[in-house]
Amino acid sequence: MKNILGREIPESIQGYGAVKPFKGAFASLGEIEKKSVAIKPAVPGEKKVLASIQEAISKCNIKDGMTISFHHHLRNGDYVLNMVLEEIAKVGVKDIKVAASSIFPVHAPLVQHMKTGVVTGIYASYMSGSVAEAISKGELKNPAVMHTHGGRTRAIASGDLSIDIAFIAAPTCDTYGNINGVDGEAACGALGYAVADAIYATKTVAITDNLVAYPACPIEITQEHIDYIVQVECIGDPKGIVSGTTQITKDPVGLKIAKMTSKVIETSGLLKDGFSFQTGAGGTSLAVAAYVKELMEKKEIKGSFAAGGITGYLVEMFEAGLFESIFDVQCFDLKAVESYRKNKKHQGMSASMYGNPHNKGAVVNNLDVMILGATEIDTDFNVNVTTGSSGMIMGGSGGHSDTAAGAKLAIVVTQLVKGRLPIVVDGVTTVTTPGETIDVLVTERGIAVNPKRQDLIEKLEAANLPIMTIEALKEMAEGMTGVPEKIERDDEVVAVVEYRDGTVIDVVKKIKD
Amino acid sequence: MKNILGREIPESIQGYGAVKPFKGAFASLGEIEKKSVAIKPAVPGEKKVLASIQEAISKCNIKDGMTISFHHHLRNGDYVLNMVLEEIAKVGVKDIKVAASSIFPVHAPLVQHMKTGVVTGIYASYMSGSVAEAISKGELKNPAVMHTHGGRTRAIASGDLSIDIAFIAAPTCDTYGNINGVDGEAACGALGYAVADAIYATKTVAITDNLVAYPACPIEITQEHIDYIVQVECIGDPKGIVSGTTQITKDPVGLKIAKMTSKVIETSGLLKDGFSFQTGAGGTSLAVAAYVKELMEKKEIKGSFAAGGITGYLVEMFEAGLFESIFDVQCFDLKAVESYRKNKKHQGMSASMYGNPHNKGAVVNNLDVMILGATEIDTDFNVNVTTGSSGMIMGGSGGHSDTAAGAKLAIVVTQLVKGRLPIVVDGVTTVTTPGETIDVLVTERGIAVNPKRQDLIEKLEAANLPIMTIEALKEMAEGMTGVPEKIERDDEVVAVVEYRDGTVIDVVKKIKD
């Protein structure tokens, strides 16, 4: 069958089940149900601290077929996922499903667990490195399921993704399970992606290298949700956790795009008191933030909030009084961690509060402007950030689809051509984010506005910004690179791309060798 | 039938249903289930702010028989419960159940709604004033159900108490439903009792007199859980909300009891680094805190936390470095509000985190010492804080049973005789807290230790503290007052006293005129 975007999708997928096809970004907002949770209450006096991961696995009664979960705040410095899976493999259980909020190159040992059948399923909102490559080549038994950050918490809360054991990497944990991310060697700041896991998993295990006396205030994830605690020598490599080097681009093309983007924002009419803003940690995105900062200072605009994964750059804007507050789901650098540690208006948020479409209103719904990247964007404004044009998985939505759906002005910023490949294409290799939620594309050669935004087209025209149709941008790109050949792929589905509401927006097929 | 304490309780109670008899303080810790929740997700762009309470009631589809809830952080200054019920009465619905976390004299208009049949059921953890009197006299159609603070959240999460519409009195609320208690005219600090209502109610309405621009950071109750917002002129009278006058007693008898209590604590061996402590806001309890403070300073002891409803006195101890942190479920005065506003180690907690027996571990489980009051205590150490000796309801557990069950050393402090009535009696009029969870009774005439604490008896004897049997204290009290006559009561059950696990520990019968 074809979904509403015309993507060909099987009605049922082996190892995934029946497909609910994507029907539009806001088609599923009827009444929903959050699942019931069965837990074992603590007996007063009972100790939660165990001697080893092995003991925790055993106390949690791990069994073939179970789903275990991880969060990715330690990013490419994370040691916990590998540590736990190594112990699970030793026990001899098979057919484990790994629900990691994201997977990084550091998680390469997972490939071996896929080959031995210890791991047969993977859920993630983003993946890069060997695991993504192995999945793309068909080495995982069941198709991987790719969520959005908000969609992952929706899936967990609804029971679509039922977690048996959640493992929480805890930079600091006290002896009764209160966790924070602001203290300890592996301090990573906000722990927003782990919250749903802690609430909805049957069993939750905190893995920490900084076990402290009760209580570990300020608390991000509370003792109410933690069954067991294991102390290990090291949960992660700080160099991989926080880069500390999120920098504004120096590339003139990137700066040109950023400058034009700031003009789009200025012209949109949204840049006024109460302005809210989100951007990623990429060099061009940060350059947009820098130009927006200049504009806000010049016009003496007091914004309401910056949101998302937080960089030191946004903290500087906040500390300069340009934003009233920050909503933080994960900290990208130490400056963000430090601000989150000390300032009550640097507000943590769960991934559900951030982007879950099935609660009473996520933070993304209140975003004025969102700056997004793209690996490809097609003439319907559909964006791919999941696969390269070769079909290899090298990313995923993360918060891309969530913020695009929520923001009043969702802007994709990209060079027209990257590595001799056109970025603007007829049809994207994989749809991550539907075009109906993208308002503008800014490239160094010109700006395309989604035709549904006639209001915006008029404003940008009046301001003499270089707007053109997205088809014109596509032709310009193809003029530079030639029309890329269609890649051939196997029929086997290796990954199912779920939109934030759990419908299937696309599938990824096995790449041919 | 008789429950394990020998209290005579019907097997089924009209208007309440089948009774699960109390079987011991820790008899119900098997696997439990938290209920599923059906909600209506927000559509991006949809506004939550409505024009009036009347509009909110209508949007929530109020119907006969529904359960509506309130929290009591505004205490005897609360205007919200009365305002909402007045509007509900206008609509003409009947048979409403009111689940208020506590009820105060200010809620007297509720009596009229009981008489007209608008309100036919009441759930509360504490009640005083006209409503309590009217219930005692049989003026509510169904028996009132009295919870503990932790038991109330247990009941809400399990579905035993299913809330259709929660009304949250919000000292500050933004236009998307983020709530805090630290700003606004009615600032009351922590909002711990309202958290379960917000999470588990089908519909949640914030009532605020301080509607601010988005977002109202720091956020205590998030937008994820709020359907509608109504702005009113005033949600409460600050004079009734925070007294600002919680003072140490000057009464020599109270001071003597407090001094002896501090010696019991010192002798128990618990007063060492990591010490944790909770006490109420009463004059004798605060005097205990003052003596404990002296001891901690003298011995250079660094405690871990103070918990509970928080007074300025505990904040002073915290700020003096005697405690690492504070766990706060409600603030009793402005000094506590101010500390909660600014200090990240002054940690808010939900009532569930505070005292729910059915989560993975409540804060009460980590308490070293709890100072408790009593209206009566019997020779089995059962405590009554629910009714006067006439049988009139004039209180309720609040956190009494929760903290007694959790603390390593639960101490009841009271004068031996009050208002010519003995406090130590053969059998209490109503059991609120079971004797198995009480360790010590301190009166001005002597100290009685629960016989199950032989270890403590030995320590106190060795320290030459005036210990005696509780029977001896009872006789001493009766020697002063004479043996009180048994009061006669009607057979009709007017209130069911639930222990924190939802079993029935006692019932209150209608008083005879």
Side-chain angles (χ1 to χ4, degrees):
Chain A
M1 65 177 164
K2 285 188 168 161
N3 70 15
I4 198 171
L5 301 178
R7 311 299 291 193
E8 187 63 49
I9 294 167
E11 288 184 24
S12 178
I13 299 169
Q14 176 88 35
Y16 174 82
V19 164
K20 284 180 283 182
F22 176 70
K23 290 182 173 170
F26 307 103
S28 70
L29 293 180
E31 188 172 283
I32 62 98
E33 192 143 319
K34 307 209 176 201
K35 73 165 192 169
S36 68
V37 187
I39 63 149
K40 172 92 182 56
V43 176
E46 216 171 22
K47 299 279 178 269
K48 293 186 179 187
V49 179
L50 305 180
S52 65
I53 292 174
Q54 202 51 253
E55 189 185 358
I57 293 168
S58 158
K59 285 243 186 198
C60 292
N61 295 315
I62 196 154
K63 287 198 191 76
D64 290 357
M66 275 190 168
T67 299
I68 64 174
S69 85
F70 301 91
H71 65 102
H72 73 278
H73 294 88
L74 304 185
R75 287 178 286 270
N76 202 37
D78 174 48
Y79 293 167
V80 170
L81 186 148
N82 293 341
M83 258 192 288
V84 169
L85 278 172
E86 194 180 327
E87 296 302 318
I88 285 176
K90 282 184 197 161
V91 177
V93 293
K94 299 275 176 186
D95 195 23
I96 295 297
K97 315 292 188 285
V98 173
S101 55
S102 294
I103 287 174
F104 288 89
V106 72
H107 300 123
L110 189 45
V111 175
Q112 190 56 30
H113 298 305
M114 286 157 52
K115 288 182 179 161
T116 55
V118 172
V119 173
T120 58
I122 289 178
Y123 301 82
S125 305
Y126 174 96
M127 53 173 89
S128 61
S130 313
V131 175
E133 284 175 28
I135 289 169
S136 303
K137 290 174 183 163
E139 293 179 17
L140 182 67
K141 186 179 175 202
N142 301 301
V145 179
M146 303 205 59
H147 295 125
T148 74
H149 284 326
R152 180 178 189 269
T153 67
R154 181 210 58 75
I156 292 171
S158 69
D160 287 356
L161 171 53
S162 188
I163 299 171
D164 296 296
I165 314 172
F167 293 91
I168 315 264
T172 291
C173 184
D174 68 36
T175 49
Y176 213 54
N178 293 298
I179 294 170
N180 78 55
V182 296
D183 297 316
E185 288 291 314
C188 60
L191 299 172
Y193 298 124
V195 174
D197 306 48
I199 294 174
Y200 287 101
T202 306
K203 295 282 181 189
T204 303
V205 181
I207 312 279
T208 190
D209 55 6
N210 190 34
L211 185 66
V212 299
Y214 184 88
C217 297
I219 296 166
E220 294 187 62
I221 293 176
T222 75
Q223 61 187 53
E224 285 175 87
H225 302 299
I226 306 297
D227 294 277
Y228 303 117
I229 301 149
V230 177
Q231 187 173 19
V232 297
E233 195 166 317
C234 186
I235 62 167
D237 175 5
K239 286 198 291 295
I241 298 169
V242 284
S243 63
T245 58
T246 39
Q247 294 286 342
I248 294 169
T249 187
K250 293 200 170 74
D251 169 47
V253 176
L255 288 172
K256 184 176 177 191
I257 294 167
K259 182 87 186 169
M260 267 204 286
T261 304
S262 72
K263 285 186 179 157
V264 170
I265 295 169
E266 186 180 11
T267 311
S268 72
L270 292 167
L271 196 65
K272 57 189 180 194
D273 283 346
F275 177 67
S276 58
F277 182 63
Q278 180 170 339
T279 178
T284 305
S285 296
L286 288 179
V288 176
Y291 287 121
V292 166
K293 181 174 184 237
E294 267 179 30
L295 286 171
M296 291 177 79
E297 283 170 341
K298 198 174 98 190
K299 300 182 167 203
E300 293 183 9
I301 286 163
K302 177 91 180 173
S304 58
F305 70 92
I310 299 299
T311 57
Y313 201 80
L314 290 173
V315 170
E316 276 172 32
M317 292 175 76
F318 165 60
E319 288 177 348
L322 296 178
F323 293 108
E324 274 284 346
S325 40
I326 287 181
F327 278 119
D328 192 339
V329 69
Q330 69 171 325
C331 299
F332 279 125
D333 54 32
L334 289 175
K335 194 174 172 87
V337 174
E338 184 52 28
S339 165
Y340 180 55
R341 180 191 283 118
K342 69 184 186 199
N343 199 317
K344 281 217 174 190
K345 296 219 166 204
H346 187 145
Q347 172 84 42
M349 63 178 168
S350 69
S352 176
M353 181 163 169
Y354 172 33
N356 182 354
H358 286 180
N359 65 26
K360 292 174 180 177
V363 167
V364 296
N365 292 357
N366 291 302
L367 268 178
D368 284 333
V369 174
M370 176 69 205
I371 307 300
L372 296 160
T375 309
E376 297 173 326
I377 178 167
D378 69 24
T379 48
D380 291 330
F381 287 84
N382 297 314
V383 177
N384 171 23
V385 289
T386 303
T387 59
S389 55
S390 69
M392 181 81 83
I393 299 168
M394 45 190 288
S397 172
H400 199 284
S401 305
D402 300 312
T403 51
K408 289 193 186 68
L409 180 61
I411 306 176
V412 170
V413 297
T414 179
Q415 298 178 38
L416 199 56
V417 168
K418 275 187 224 161
R420 300 201 193 163
L421 288 167
I423 303 301
V424 190
V425 295
D426 256 330
V428 289
T429 310
T430 310
V431 180
T432 311
T433 297
E436 66 169 301
T437 62
I438 302 294
D439 299 289
V440 182
L441 164 66
V442 180
T443 72
E444 73 279 19
R445 295 297 190 96
I447 299 168
V449 180
N450 192 322
K452 78 182 177 108
R453 292 299 307 270
Q454 280 305 319
D455 60 321
L456 197 59
I457 292 173
E458 284 162 25
K459 283 180 184 163
L460 300 192
E461 268 174 351
N464 283 320
L465 286 170
I467 68 167
M468 55 191 74
T469 64
I470 195 161
E471 289 79 8
L473 281 174
K474 186 209 74 168
E475 278 160 30
M476 212 183 282
E478 286 180 356
M480 294 158 75
T481 62
V483 179
E485 276 181 55
K486 282 261 172 205
I487 52 156
E488 274 189 76
R489 282 189 286 172
D490 201 285
D491 272 348
E492 187 189 335
V493 172
V494 295
V496 178
V497 183
E498 284 190 359
Y499 190 62
R500 55 204 298 254
D501 62 3
T503 60
V504 176
I505 193 163
D506 211 343
V507 293
V508 178
K509 295 197 170 169
K510 187 176 163 183
I511 56 172
K512 286 201 167 172
D513 290 328
Chain B
M1 64 178 166
K2 284 190 168 159
N3 69 16
I4 198 172
L5 300 179
R7 311 299 290 193
E8 187 65 47
I9 294 168
E11 288 185 24
S12 178
I13 300 169
Q14 176 89 32
Y16 174 82
V19 164
K20 285 182 284 183
F22 175 69
K23 290 184 173 168
F26 307 103
S28 71
L29 294 179
E31 189 171 281
I32 62 98
E33 192 144 316
K34 305 206 177 202
K35 74 165 191 167
S36 68
V37 187
I39 62 149
K40 173 94 182 54
V43 177
E46 215 173 24
K47 299 278 179 270
K48 294 186 177 185
V49 179
L50 305 180
S52 65
I53 292 173
Q54 202 51 252
E55 189 184 359
I57 292 168
S58 158
K59 285 242 185 198
C60 292
N61 295 314
I62 198 154
K63 288 197 190 78
D64 290 358
M66 276 190 168
T67 299
I68 65 174
S69 85
F70 301 91
H71 64 101
H72 73 278
H73 293 89
L74 303 185
R75 286 178 285 270
N76 202 37
D78 174 49
Y79 293 167
V80 170
L81 186 149
N82 293 340
M83 259 192 286
V84 169
L85 277 173
E86 192 179 328
E87 295 304 318
I88 285 176
K90 284 184 197 161
V91 176
V93 292
K94 298 274 177 188
D95 195 22
I96 295 296
K97 316 291 188 284
V98 172
S101 55
S102 294
I103 288 174
F104 288 89
V106 72
H107 299 124
L110 188 45
V111 175
Q112 189 57 29
H113 298 304
M114 286 158 51
K115 288 183 178 159
T116 55
V118 172
V119 173
T120 58
I122 288 178
Y123 301 82
S125 305
Y126 174 97
M127 52 173 90
S128 61
S130 313
V131 176
E133 284 174 28
I135 289 170
S136 304
K137 290 175 183 162
E139 292 179 18
L140 182 66
K141 184 179 174 200
N142 301 302
V145 180
M146 304 205 58
H147 296 124
T148 74
H149 283 326
R152 180 177 189 269
T153 68
R154 181 211 58 75
I156 292 170
S158 70
D160 286 355
L161 172 54
S162 189
I163 299 170
D164 295 297
I165 313 171
F167 293 92
I168 315 265
T172 291
C173 183
D174 68 36
T175 50
Y176 212 54
N178 294 298
I179 294 170
N180 78 53
V182 297
D183 297 317
E185 288 292 314
C188 60
L191 299 172
Y193 297 123
V195 175
D197 307 47
I199 294 175
Y200 287 101
T202 305
K203 295 282 182 192
T204 303
V205 181
I207 312 278
T208 189
D209 54 7
N210 189 33
L211 185 66
V212 299
Y214 184 88
C217 297
I219 297 166
E220 294 186 61
I221 293 176
T222 76
Q223 61 186 52
E224 287 174 85
H225 303 299
I226 306 297
D227 294 277
Y228 304 117
I229 300 149
V230 178
Q231 187 171 19
V232 297
E233 196 168 313
C234 186
I235 62 168
D237 175 5
K239 286 198 290 294
I241 297 169
V242 284
S243 62
T245 57
T246 39
Q247 294 285 344
I248 294 169
T249 187
K250 291 202 172 74
D251 170 47
V253 176
L255 288 172
K256 183 177 179 191
I257 294 167
K259 180 86 183 171
M260 265 204 287
T261 304
S262 73
K263 285 187 182 158
V264 169
I265 294 169
E266 186 180 13
T267 311
S268 73
L270 292 167
L271 196 66
K272 56 189 179 192
D273 282 348
F275 177 67
S276 59
F277 182 63
Q278 180 170 339
T279 179
T284 304
S285 295
L286 287 178
V288 176
Y291 287 121
V292 166
K293 181 173 183 240
E294 268 180 30
L295 285 171
M296 290 178 80
E297 283 171 342
K298 197 172 99 190
K299 300 183 168 204
E300 293 183 10
I301 286 164
K302 177 90 179 174
S304 57
F305 70 91
I310 299 298
T311 56
Y313 201 80
L314 290 173
V315 170
E316 277 173 29
M317 292 176 76
F318 166 60
E319 289 178 346
L322 297 178
F323 292 109
E324 274 285 346
S325 39
I326 287 180
F327 278 118
D328 192 339
V329 69
Q330 70 170 324
C331 300
F332 280 124
D333 55 32
L334 288 174
K335 192 171 174 91
V337 174
E338 184 53 29
S339 165
Y340 180 56
R341 181 192 281 117
K342 68 183 188 200
N343 198 318
K344 280 218 175 190
K345 296 220 166 205
H346 188 146
Q347 172 82 46
M349 63 178 170
S350 68
S352 176
M353 182 164 168
Y354 172 33
N356 183 352
H358 286 180
N359 65 26
K360 292 174 180 176
V363 167
V364 296
N365 292 356
N366 291 302
L367 269 179
D368 285 333
V369 174
M370 177 68 205
I371 307 300
L372 296 160
T375 308
E376 295 173 329
I377 179 167
D378 69 23
T379 49
D380 291 330
F381 287 85
N382 297 314
V383 177
N384 172 22
V385 289
T386 303
T387 58
S389 55
S390 70
M392 182 81 84
I393 299 169
M394 46 189 288
S397 172
H400 199 284
S401 304
D402 300 312
T403 51
K408 290 192 185 69
L409 181 61
I411 306 176
V412 170
V413 297
T414 180
Q415 298 178 38
L416 198 56
V417 168
K418 277 188 223 161
R420 300 202 194 165
L421 286 168
I423 303 302
V424 190
V425 294
D426 255 330
V428 289
T429 310
T430 309
V431 179
T432 312
T433 296
E436 64 168 304
T437 63
I438 301 295
D439 298 289
V440 182
L441 163 66
V442 180
T443 72
E444 74 278 19
R445 294 298 188 95
I447 299 167
V449 181
N450 192 321
K452 78 183 178 109
R453 291 299 307 272
Q454 279 305 320
D455 60 321
L456 196 60
I457 291 173
E458 284 163 24
K459 282 179 184 164
L460 300 192
E461 269 175 350
N464 282 321
L465 286 169
I467 68 169
M468 55 191 76
T469 63
I470 195 162
E471 288 80 7
L473 281 174
K474 186 208 76 168
E475 278 161 28
M476 213 183 282
E478 286 180 357
M480 294 158 76
T481 62
V483 179
E485 274 180 58
K486 284 263 171 204
I487 52 157
E488 273 190 76
R489 282 188 287 173
D490 201 285
D491 272 348
E492 188 189 335
V493 172
V494 294
V496 178
V497 182
E498 285 191 358
Y499 190 61
R500 55 203 300 252
D501 63 3
T503 60
V504 175
I505 194 162
D506 212 343
V507 293
V508 179
K509 295 196 170 169
K510 186 175 164 182
I511 55 173
K512 286 200 168 173
D513 290 328

